Amino acid sequence: MTWQELAQRATNIYDTSLKRTLELFPLDKEAQSALDSLPSARGKTVEDYGSPATVPIEVFREKMPEKSLEITEKDPYLLLQDIKSGKVSCVEVLTAYFHAAVFASKLVNCVYEFMPEEALQLAKKLDSGSKDLPLMGLPLSLKEMIPVKGRAVTHGSLCFLDRVVDYDADIVNILVAAGAVPFVRTTNPQSLMMLECESWTHGRTVNPYNSSLTCGGSSGGEGAIQGIGAAAFGLGSDIGGSIRCPSAFNGIYGLRTTVGRLPSSDFFSCQLGSESILSVTGPMTRSLDLLCLVMRTITASAPWLVDPSLYPLPWNPDKKEKLKIGILYDDGVVAPQPPIARALKMVSDQLSKLPNIEVVPFKPYKHEKAWEIITSLYFEDGGADTRSTMEKSGEPMLPQTEWILSGKHVKPLQPKDIWHWNLEKGKYRKEYLAHWLSQGAPDAVIAPVFPGPACKPRTSRYWGYTAQWNLLDYPAIAFPVTTVDPQVDVPLKDYQPRNEMDEFVWKQYDSGESFANAPVSLCAVGLRNTDDLVVKVAKILREAM
């Protein structure tokens, strides 16, 4: 079977699930007509990227059925209170979100597969039972790499279309037991090692605020569906920025948790069994209050009694009265583009006005060394396993996959080489901790997530602002600050690049107009296992901004 035939199979999975969704959750005649008239980010084949609307989220809000929009546009945390009070039923909420997901999928191509039958059964069961579940009736979207019983897990690789699993991931079981309703599986890119969302299983997922920009990756479908407002919350995974970048690019909150806080050891990816750099899972949502509730709910379930790789750490929001917060304006490798530089100043200025916050500058420490270490350890086999998945199906390697696999530090490692780089990792972690303390021992550091806002397709080549914290295993939460202002965020004309990558990134920001409407986000980073503290910092910033 050719890769194009396999890609058609993937498309058929989507089409069949869409058809069944519209049978179980039918649109009225007017809404169906509106759906049919939408510009589509899904092309006729996965090689055709369609003709998406310039600003998909504007079309979404204009064309969505008003009754459904009244539910989906409400802060999901507040919607939860309506469900618990009986003001709205779980089935009504699910219906509204399925309609939203159908519209969103056509506009930005964020859904890999709908799950209408399982979701409807769950919602009906919830409506007939107790109303006191912590996540009662909230529709949950799942990155396609997360196992769901009876579904194939491809993580963007066509050769795995027949890999149907017979279990739900541990974290899915925990969330379902808490009342969440998994209803869609979202798109992820080829190989997962991409800060974009393009694969031969679905085509390309675009940014809801500006379709000429990427939605980020690898949890790209999650970022897009949350950003456009078609899911209450979702789960992504992160080994180099895959939760934070799509969260930042789509103007939502996304938490890269510390390794060992949330269960994810039963997820799928390439290089299964490699433990030098571990991936983590975390929530992604428009609602910071809901993100906190999700974290509290999962940890309250004692997941360490299900997954032995976890630490028995409850969710305890920090009670410190005063905080010291550092600002990392530049990592010394690639300078932030104008919108990010402006956001850093905005946040610094606002924090400085708060009586309980001390703001201190935070200098980088050998961030270029961190990239060397982590890219050496990402692919201990030199990328052989990732390449073999494409060879099995015959699918072409996409440019961003080729770029990361062709990095100068990517080479097959012998055991002694792996030991060497792991020793370098440990040494660097110790040095960075000492550096952190030497910078005034901040409780958290505000830093860029990416050099700029969402970038143009196939240009996301600098991961240093996110992979840095993966190497150190520091938790980080992406949070929205503002949007690109073409009149203010003008390109730097006389900038002198410090290296080849810095020049590449500088040249990508060619005009403010190219990035119009794009969310501008930053992240709050803390030392290991201070996940609850960085979320508290995000809450302080939400109020301050």
Side-chain angles (χ1 to χ4, degrees), residues 60-62 64-74 96:
F60 176 82
R61 289 170 175 165
E62 177 188 349
M64 261 279 289
E66 188 173 338
K67 183 179 179 182
S68 295
L69 206 59
E70 287 175 0
I71 291 174
T72 61
E73 285 293 288
K74 192 164 193 173

Side-chain angles (χ1 to χ4, degrees), residues 86-166:
K87 186 176 179 180
V88 62
S89 72
C90 296
V91 170
E92 287 173 322
V93 169
L94 183 62
T95 300
Y97 269 103
F98 260 126
H99 291 169
V102 168
F103 274 66
S105 188
K106 188 170 183 183
L107 286 165
V108 296
N109 193 13
C110 55
V111 174
Y112 174 80
E113 182 178 18
F114 299 91
M115 300 187 290
E117 292 177 339
E118 304 101 303
L120 182 58
Q121 183 178 359
L122 264 177
K124 286 180 175 179
K125 183 179 179 181
L126 288 167
D127 278 334
S128 63
S130 171
K131 302 288 186 191
D132 63 354
L133 294 174
L135 300 173
M136 180 78 184
L138 290 181
L140 165 66
S141 52
L142 298 169
K143 186 176 183 179
E144 188 266 358
M145 67 175 287
I146 299 174
V148 176
K149 188 175 182 178
R151 307 280 173 169
V153 183
T154 74
H155 58 75
S157 301
L158 291 170
C159 70
F160 293 126
L161 281 169
D162 290 323
R163 186 172 61 186
V164 178
V165 298
D166 60 358

Side-chain angles (χ1 to χ4, degrees), residues 243-296:
I243 285 174
R244 289 156 291 159
C245 269
S247 295
F249 289 1
N250 294 280
I252 62 169
Y253 295 95
L255 178 62
R256 185 267 172 204
T257 54
T258 308
V259 169
R261 290 302 295 263
L262 298 183
S264 63
S265 60
D266 50 6
F267 290 11
F268 280 92
S269 67
C270 292
Q271 293 114 229
L272 279 176
S274 173
E275 296 196 347
S276 293
I277 305 295
L278 290 171
S279 176
V280 298
T281 190
M284 300 169 66
T285 175
R286 292 165 284 155
S287 172
L288 184 55
D289 293 320
L290 180 57
L291 183 147
C292 294
L293 177 60
V294 169
M295 289 299 299
R296 188 163 64 248

Side-chain angles (χ1 to χ4, degrees), residues 5 26 119 220 260-261 311 408 455 535:
E5 290 171 321
R261 290 302 295 263
Y311 304 121
K408 65 179 181 179
C455 60
V535 172

Side-chain angles (χ1 to χ4, degrees), residues 501-513:
M501 182 60 75
D502 194 32
E503 181 177 18
F504 175 83
V505 171
W506 166 58
K507 287 182 175 178
Q508 295 310 307
Y509 193 78
D510 51 4
S511 73
E513 287 75 16

Side-chain angles (χ1 to χ4, degrees), residues 160-231:
F160 293 126
L161 281 169
D162 290 323
R163 186 172 61 186
V164 178
V165 298
D166 60 358
Y167 67 94
D168 290 325
D170 291 334
I171 198 168
V172 174
N173 287 329
I174 291 168
L175 292 171
V176 168
V181 180
F183 78 121
V184 295
R185 305 174 70 208
T186 54
T187 55
N188 42 217
Q190 182 184 65
S191 83
L192 296 178
M193 296 298 286
M194 196 188 297
L195 294 185
E196 302 186 22
C197 195
E198 182 180 355
S199 87
W200 302 120
T201 64
H202 74 278
R204 174 183 289 161
T205 306
V206 301
N207 193 295
Y209 290 89
N210 182 331
S211 64
S212 66
L213 305 176
T214 178
C215 64
S218 62
S219 311
E222 276 305 312
I225 199 169
Q226 300 298 333
I228 205 169

